[in-house]
Amino acid sequence: MKIRTVLYLLLFISGIIVAQQNKNQSSKIEIKEAWIRVAAQGANTALFFEVVNNSDKPDTLLAAESELAEVVEVHETFKRENDMMGMRKVNFVVIPPRSTVKFKPRDLHVMLIKLKSDLKVGEKSEATLVFKNAGKLKAGAVVRDMQMMMNK
Ligand SMILES: [Cu+2]
């Protein structure tokens, strides 16, 4: 009877340890403040967010996935000649250890090309970000007006 009690106790403790480890793992990379610029069906828009790396190792954003658009790409903005802004696809974005990388207007963003349906202000949506170490992370995003964000 005592052995059984000890076994139950061990099972219980190992359960706690596993739960703790999972928790630590999932909190190494955090996606915060995710929002999508309001747009209509067929148009292009972008997803913005902050990636917080809580670990001592760099991680790399490799891709983004979303059901919202026909094509989803990670983009960066760059300065063209005549001070014009252009944007282009990037294959990865490194998130240095203990730091935050902001995906924001006129900077890094996830491009949503050809929306499958209208996005309305206040609507909640979701996208998946794929990291080399952290794996696939879901980001809950709110649809917002660009003007609203700029005045903030
Ligand atoms: Cu873009």
Side-chain angles (χ1 to χ4, degrees), residues 132-148:
K132 196 174 164 192
N133 299 325
K136 290 188 175 190
L137 297 182
K138 285 227 154 69
V142 187
V143 178
R144 283 179 184 163
D145 195 283
M146 187 76 146
Q147 214 56 43
M148 228 157 75

Side-chain angles (χ1 to χ4, degrees), residues 45-46 73-77 87-88 107 109-113:
T45 188
E73 292 177 350
V74 182
H75 277 192
E76 66 178 359
T77 307
M87 58 183 177
R88 60 193 165 203
D107 203 326
H109 56 276
V110 168
M111 198 79 203
L112 302 170
I113 299 160

Side-chain angles (χ1 to χ4, degrees), residues 71-122:
V71 183
V72 180
E73 292 177 350
V74 182
H75 277 192
E76 66 178 359
T77 307
F78 67 101
K79 213 172 223 178
R80 282 192 164 135
E81 62 274 24
N82 314 324
D83 262 357
M84 295 279 284
M85 300 293 260
M87 58 183 177
R88 60 193 165 203
K89 191 181 169 189
V90 289
N91 291 323
F92 60 89
V93 178
V94 174
I95 317 295
R98 304 270 163 211
S99 64
T100 300
V101 173
K102 291 181 181 175
F103 286 66
K104 55 182 192 286
R106 299 199 190 96
D107 203 326
L108 289 163
H109 56 276
V110 168
M111 198 79 203
L112 302 170
I113 299 160
K114 275 199 183 175
L115 283 179
K116 291 178 186 170
S117 55
D118 288 350
L119 288 178
K120 294 186 180 77
V121 173

Side-chain angles (χ1 to χ4, degrees), residues 62-74:
L62 299 172
E65 296 168 356
S66 171
E67 288 299 306
L68 293 173
E70 304 270 343
V71 183
V72 180
E73 292 177 350
V74 182

